[in-house]
Amino acid sequence: MSSTSPSATPDDAAEPLRHHTPFKLFWCASVASTIALQMQIVAVGWQVYQLTHSAFDLGIVGLVQFIPSLILVFVVGHVADRFDRRNVARVSSLVEAAAAATLAVGSLQGWLSREMIFAIVAVIGAGRAFSKPTMSALLPSLMSPKALPGAVAGSASATQFAIIIGPALGGFLYVAGPAVVYASSCALFIACSVLLSLIRRPAQVAAAQTAPAKPTGASLSSVFAGLAFIRSKPAIFGAISLDMFAVLLGGATALLPVFANDILHTGAVGLGLLRSAPAAGALIVALLLARFPLGGRVGRTMFMAVAVFGLATIVFGLSRSFPLSLAALAVLGAADMISVVVRSSFVQLETPDAMRGRVSAVNSVFIGTSNQLGEFESGLTAAWLGAVPAVLIGGIGTLLIVLLWMRLFPSLYQVDRLAARQS
């Protein structure tokens, strides 16, 4: 297939990420945006529950954030490929900032209703629908191909760091009122937009781009080209679908309150630690991979990581020890991070630059679908069979998916190194 760019020069490969100014700005922008979102999620959840005392409404909050991503998937990808991705991400962050500001004003003035919060959250979801895949497609245009896997790991560390810090910070600030949380989120989204405006592509990377010209019109074939491209590349389709089914079957996080209360008997404090454990494990691995990128046989490594994810899920389901459960969740998060870094790097490097926005948009919907349906699947299975059997079935199902995908997508298993292919 066509290469997105030629091999990195020696200087590109040798430059540490900490000395790479565009990446540092990108990393800081990602941290600011993700912390803002995590703070907002905590505040919206508490506020909706205080207004309605309905667990069902908490589920609706997640649903109204996901629906815009599903509706806009093909439009988002086309926009990300047609326009400057830095500007698309900046505008998306400003939309999220405006929504956060509206929540802050509504909280101060007392006119926020259940329906109004849902509507504003849908706007946030629309902004996120543009910003997430656009940021994913932007990163490869800032890095040489050889440096991209380390950059993906470094970017993932930003996300995990924010997932650990954001909810705790949001809960702490909520003591002063939801308006304080929303105002802080607004400021962070604006900071993200400013940081993105400062990014300049390195000259050597910009000059190296040899991708086809970006689409000039929104034809039906152009809008759906991302999905068509994924379907035409078995290894890419295999990588994306492996992650989707692993999360769909193996996700145990939706049942953590049940385990904390009824099985491990740890209470709310223990629940908080259980929720932080996967992110902590993922953060450690992301930092290690940013410093020591993976070498050869990355396809096999990804399959092994997903298998470890399934085994850790089984251990968590069987555990009656709080420390062992924490350790299992940390291993689960660490294994998932290895899979994420390999999959993200592989998909981006195998996709022409002019297609990355559309492919990233489809990938984003795959991930969002697996997260949402995974929570539903876990809850439904737990209602039928109990929490422990639900988690065990999910872990075993993940292992079976790994074995099946190794047979269905042998080209993915045989991928050696993460590098852009030459024509």
Side-chain angles (χ1 to χ4, degrees):
M1 63 173 291
S2 298
S3 168
T4 58
S5 61
S7 299
T9 65
D11 289 342
D12 295 337
E15 182 182 20
L17 290 177
R18 65 179 180 274
H19 296 155
H20 195 288
T21 299
F23 176 77
K24 288 193 295 184
L25 291 169
F26 180 92
W27 194 94
C28 291
S30 297
V31 169
S33 175
T34 308
I35 288 179
L37 180 66
Q38 294 296 321
M39 291 170 58
Q40 210 164 241
I41 288 172
V42 170
V44 167
W46 274 108
Q47 195 168 30
V48 166
Y49 195 72
Q50 287 178 336
L51 285 172
T52 69
H53 298 285
S54 168
F56 177 75
D57 284 341
L58 295 178
I60 295 297
V61 171
L63 183 62
V64 297
Q65 288 185 83
F66 172 68
I67 287 176
S69 297
L70 186 62
I71 294 175
L72 297 171
V73 54
F74 299 113
V75 176
V76 167
H78 186 83
V79 169
D81 284 336
R82 186 178 183 188
F83 301 101
D84 188 321
R85 290 165 186 155
R86 291 165 293 186
N87 291 334
V88 174
R90 285 178 57 207
V91 172
S92 301
S93 294
L94 291 177
V95 169
E96 293 176 272
T102 304
L103 287 171
V105 172
S107 297
L108 285 173
Q109 297 182 352
W111 49 260
L112 278 182
S113 64
R114 166 181 174 272
E115 290 74 18
M116 182 64 69
I117 293 176
F118 288 162
I120 297 172
V121 167
V123 173
I124 295 170
R128 205 67 185 171
F130 280 90
S131 65
K132 187 174 181 180
T134 302
M135 291 284 281
S136 179
L138 172 62
L139 182 57
S141 68
L142 305 177
M143 312 299 301
S144 62
K146 189 168 185 177
L148 182 60
V152 170
S155 176
S157 72
T159 300
Q160 298 304 322
F161 172 78
I163 290 174
I164 294 172
I165 297 298
L169 184 58
F172 176 77
L173 292 177
Y174 198 91
V175 175
V180 176
V181 183
Y182 297 136
S184 300
S185 295
C186 176
L188 286 170
F189 280 128
I190 293 173
C192 173
S193 182
V194 171
L195 289 166
L196 290 170
S197 70
L198 298 176
I199 292 177
R200 299 290 183 268
R201 286 202 302 173
Q204 68 272 24
V205 175
Q209 296 294 329
T210 59
K214 293 181 183 290
T216 57
S219 66
L220 193 62
S221 60
S222 174
V223 170
F224 285 88
L227 183 60
F229 178 82
I230 291 173
R231 291 182 61 187
S232 71
K233 305 295 180 181
I236 292 179
F237 179 70
I240 293 175
S241 57
L242 174 65
D243 177 79
M244 184 186 77
F245 280 104
V247 174
L248 181 64
L249 293 174
T253 55
L255 300 177
L256 288 182
V258 178
F259 276 83
N261 187 68
D262 300 337
I263 297 173
L264 300 173
H265 307 291
T266 62
V269 174
L271 174 60
L273 292 174
L274 291 172
R275 286 195 176 277
S276 297
L283 176 60
I284 292 171
V285 169
L287 292 173
L288 289 173
L289 291 179
R291 180 66 180 86
F292 306 104
L294 293 170
R297 300 182 178 180
V298 294
R300 186 177 69 172
T301 298
M302 182 174 69
F303 277 103
M304 290 177 61
V306 177
V308 171
F309 178 91
L311 289 172
T313 300
I314 294 173
V315 171
F316 174 75
L318 294 173
S319 172
R320 297 298 180 270
S321 164
F322 183 63
L324 178 59
S325 296
L326 284 177
L329 289 174
V331 171
L332 180 150
D336 185 53
M337 178 53 58
I338 295 174
S339 173
V340 166
V341 169
V342 174
R343 173 179 52 80
S344 298
S345 301
F346 174 72
V347 171
Q348 294 291 4
L349 288 170
E350 292 290 309
T351 304
D353 185 66
M355 290 287 300
R356 281 179 176 145
R358 284 164 285 178
V359 170
S360 294
V362 175
N363 187 27
S364 180
V365 169
F366 270 65
I367 295 171
T369 300
S370 65
N371 288 331
Q372 297 292 332
L373 293 183
E375 292 182 1
F376 175 74
E377 179 271 334
S378 295
L380 187 62
T381 307
W384 286 345
L385 304 174
V388 172
V391 172
L392 294 179
I393 290 172
I396 294 170
T398 299
L399 295 178
L400 294 176
I401 286 293
V402 169
L403 295 175
L404 180 60
W405 255 237
M406 287 171 62
R407 293 182 61 87
L408 293 177
F409 302 97
S411 60
L412 177 60
Y413 181 82
Q414 293 165 5
V415 171
D416 185 27
R417 295 183 180 274
L418 294 172
R421 293 186 180 179
Q422 302 298 315
S423 299

